[in-house]
Amino acid sequence: MWLFIVSDAITFSAVIFAYGYLRLAATAWPRPFETPSIANATVMTFVLLSSSVAMVLAVRASSLGKVGSAIGWLVATALGGIIFDVLHIREWLGLIGEGVRPFHNPWGTPMFGAAFFSMTGLHMLHVTIGVVYLLVIAVGFGRRKFSAVDVEVSGLYWHFVDLVWMFIFPLVYLLSAKTA
Amino acid sequence: MEHAETAGNKIIFSVWFGLLGLTVLEVILAYRQLPLQTMLTVLMFLSIIKAALIIAYFMHLRYEQASLFVTLIPALVFILIMMTVIFADSSRLAHMRSLVQ
């Protein structure tokens, strides 16, 4: 899992660097995120960080052999992921409603949409896969099909998804906040 | 992945509050009228601290053998530094665009 995480980190870095490249070369990069969007993204960050703590508790419970508590924390973690996804999809729909398309938007550099949707979309895909992964692990751990080590490995993946958001959130949202 | 000790509750919750606090700090900074470059530097610095906290405590790399860290992190950092070469071309593009207009 560690090797996968490092390779996945490079994938995300490539996308983030591509965004940096576009933004640096652009003359009028849009800064469309008003306060409600920033607040929404901040809540999403809090949810994801808190779900990571739930994951830590799940890993600990599983290593102590507390099956019920481990499953509970795993489900809580997955729930955090679902809330994150729902909030993010709401943000996407809002932007699409304002007329943002991958190669067109009402404000400036046309590539804004492509950069935004590919970066946040890749991350959202990871969160969604993570939710499925955690639920599979929870069921399997309950049936004694998976061991505590499997829970721990799924935890590594989940924390990584959290970690990536720590970069996407400031780069995409905070650096494009609409300030008076 | 066998390891004897991991972080206790106290450490995990302090790390959690630390991460939340740093996030709030970042959001406050976003509303300061700082030059983009300064802001980017400060935000990335804070984000790297947050990433390091997550890796060290949540992913408990701190409690693993040192060889795991040595295998993974320096190579990743090296690759990331190598990727920055593209930015020279990016600023060239911006410069050329200003010549055309």
Side-chain angles (χ1 to χ4, degrees):
Chain A
M1 183 50 87
W2 274 110
L3 288 181
F4 168 75
I5 285 173
V6 169
S7 67
D8 212 23
I10 296 169
T11 307
F12 268 111
S13 311
V15 178
I16 291 173
F17 274 77
Y19 160 73
Y21 179 93
L22 288 171
R23 185 159 180 172
L24 191 60
T27 41
W29 195 261
R31 299 172 70 103
F33 298 112
E34 301 195 27
T35 310
S37 287
I38 297 292
N40 187 48
T42 309
V43 170
M44 280 156 58
T45 311
F46 284 176
V47 168
L48 208 56
L49 282 171
S50 307
S51 78
S52 253
V53 175
M55 191 69 228
V56 169
L57 298 175
V59 169
R60 182 177 307 156
S62 73
S63 70
L64 294 175
K66 297 179 187 164
V67 178
S69 140
I71 292 173
W73 285 118
L74 278 170
V75 171
T77 310
L79 201 66
I82 292 169
I83 296 172
F84 179 90
D85 263 356
V86 168
L87 289 175
H88 211 169
I89 286 166
R90 203 178 66 167
E91 181 66 41
W92 270 45
L93 292 177
L95 282 173
I96 293 169
E98 286 177 56
V100 181
R101 299 289 180 272
F103 301 107
H104 170 79
N105 69 71
W107 307 300
T109 307
M111 287 297 281
F112 169 77
F116 175 82
F117 289 130
S118 54
M119 261 197 294
T120 57
L122 187 63
H123 184 262
M124 216 194 284
L125 182 68
H126 276 78
V127 174
T128 313
I129 291 170
V131 168
V132 176
Y133 181 18
L134 290 177
L135 293 177
V136 169
I137 290 285
V139 172
F141 188 64
R143 291 184 185 164
R144 305 289 194 282
K145 224 171 140 187
F146 295 131
S147 67
V149 173
D150 296 318
V151 178
E152 188 183 328
V153 170
S154 72
L156 288 179
Y157 174 80
W158 190 257
H159 296 312
F160 170 71
V161 171
D162 185 14
L163 185 159
V164 169
W165 183 251
M166 294 307 125
F167 288 95
I168 295 182
F169 170 60
L171 286 172
V172 172
Y173 282 94
L174 296 182
L175 284 178
S176 292
K178 194 182 226 171
T179 50
Chain B
M1 295 264 173
E2 295 299 318
H3 50 85
E5 55 165 342
T6 46
N9 266 339
K10 207 174 151 192
I11 294 177
I12 289 299
F13 285 106
S14 335
V15 170
W16 183 33
F17 285 122
L19 289 167
L20 294 182
L22 285 173
T23 306
V24 171
L25 183 64
E26 285 186 342
V27 174
I28 293 170
L29 279 173
Y31 284 94
R32 292 290 154 109
Q33 306 288 343
L34 294 174
L36 193 63
Q37 236 168 358
T38 319
M39 186 121 115
L40 179 68
T41 316
V42 175
L43 287 180
M44 280 304 95
F45 180 68
L46 291 174
S47 287
I48 288 169
I49 294 178
K50 286 161 79 178
L53 283 173
I54 293 176
I55 294 174
Y57 292 100
F58 289 177
M59 296 165 92
H60 50 77
L61 189 58
R62 210 189 142 199
Y63 302 95
E64 305 283 354
Q65 286 176 10
S67 59
L68 187 63
F69 175 87
V70 173
T71 314
L72 300 170
I73 306 299
L76 179 61
V77 171
F78 176 72
I79 290 170
L80 293 183
I81 291 171
M82 291 305 281
M83 279 189 188
T84 57
V85 295
I86 65 164
F87 288 121
D89 186 51
S90 180
S91 53
R92 180 191 64 94
L93 210 67
H95 176 66
M96 284 176 70
R97 189 167 287 157
S98 68
L99 291 182
V100 170
Q101 279 163 356

